[in-house]
Amino acid sequence: DKEIPADELAGKSGKVKIVYDYTNNAKESNGEFIPFLVLTGMILNSDFSNVTVDNGKVVEYDDSNIVIGYGAPGLKKHLLESIENAEEYIGDIDIPESVTITADVKDFSMDMALSVATSQMGDMDLEDTLDFSDIEDKMDELGEGAESLVDGAGELSSGADELKGGS
């Protein structure tokens, strides 16, 4: 629970908590909110153990942990502010705005983490077309999709290892 700059983290050992806190500042030219979804992925080497992630999935693969997390920053607030009776339907539903990864680590080093954002969900007229009864199911589908991404990343890593060995 001690915050330190990333450049001071290299080589340290102990419990680490990495937080990706997404913020949506996107607006259309007329000031309308543009919802988007963010996925963050990383492969943590064997120096990481006891890896957990909220709003995502961790899969152990070979000597690594593949982590995918997701969030839709500002979406719940926008829905609650712009749609009548939204609180009744989505008040208790968690629409994440951040991803937190925790792990025990020896000699911290991290090669890369990638985040991808898409606003494709922004093409719908939320007030007229969103069925609130489905939103929890859609968040579950998103979690399942993150799991599929993790599985695919594992297969890609395995294929890359085979290619390296074959060359």
Side-chain angles (χ1 to χ4, degrees):
D1 291 325
K2 178 182 169 190
E3 190 170 323
I4 64 172
D7 61 344
E8 292 180 21
L9 191 55
K12 300 267 196 274
S13 297
K15 185 115 179 141
V16 66
K17 179 166 81 171
I18 303 167
V19 179
Y20 289 86
D21 193 9
Y22 310 117
T23 303
N24 184 343
N25 295 318
K27 302 270 189 231
E28 291 184 16
S29 59
N30 63 1
E32 285 290 314
F33 177 80
I34 301 174
F36 62 83
L37 175 69
V38 183
L39 293 171
T40 296
M42 62 189 72
I43 299 175
L44 302 176
N45 64 31
S46 61
D47 293 337
F48 290 81
S49 60
N50 302 317
V51 179
T52 63
V53 61
D54 67 347
N55 308 320
K57 182 78 175 165
V58 178
V59 173
E60 292 182 31
Y61 186 78
D62 288 340
D63 289 335
S64 300
N65 289 285
I66 301 169
V67 181
I68 300 282
Y70 61 90
L75 179 59
K76 184 172 183 175
K77 179 181 176 194
H78 172 70
L79 293 173
L80 291 172
E81 290 175 351
S82 62
I83 300 175
E84 189 175 326
N85 297 327
E87 180 68 38
E88 180 180 333
Y89 298 101
I90 66 168
D92 295 335
I93 295 174
D94 180 34
I95 301 176
E97 297 193 1
S98 65
V99 172
T100 301
I101 299 107
T102 59
D104 297 320
V105 64
K106 295 177 188 168
D107 191 27
F108 182 94
S109 69
M110 195 164 85
D111 294 330
M112 116 176 101
L114 299 172
S115 292
V116 176
T118 180
S119 63
Q120 290 300 310
M121 60 191 280
D123 294 339
M124 58 186 161
D125 181 355
L126 294 174
E127 189 164 352
D128 294 333
T129 62
L130 187 61
D131 178 0
F132 287 113
S133 64
D134 274 357
I135 203 160
E136 196 160 19
D137 292 338
K138 296 299 180 192
M139 294 308 293
D140 289 342
E141 283 180 35
L142 181 59
E144 291 168 11
E147 187 172 332
S148 294
L149 280 171
V150 168
D151 292 343
E155 290 174 19
L156 177 63
S157 178
S158 177
D161 288 342
E162 287 180 32
L163 177 63
K164 181 180 174 185
S167 63

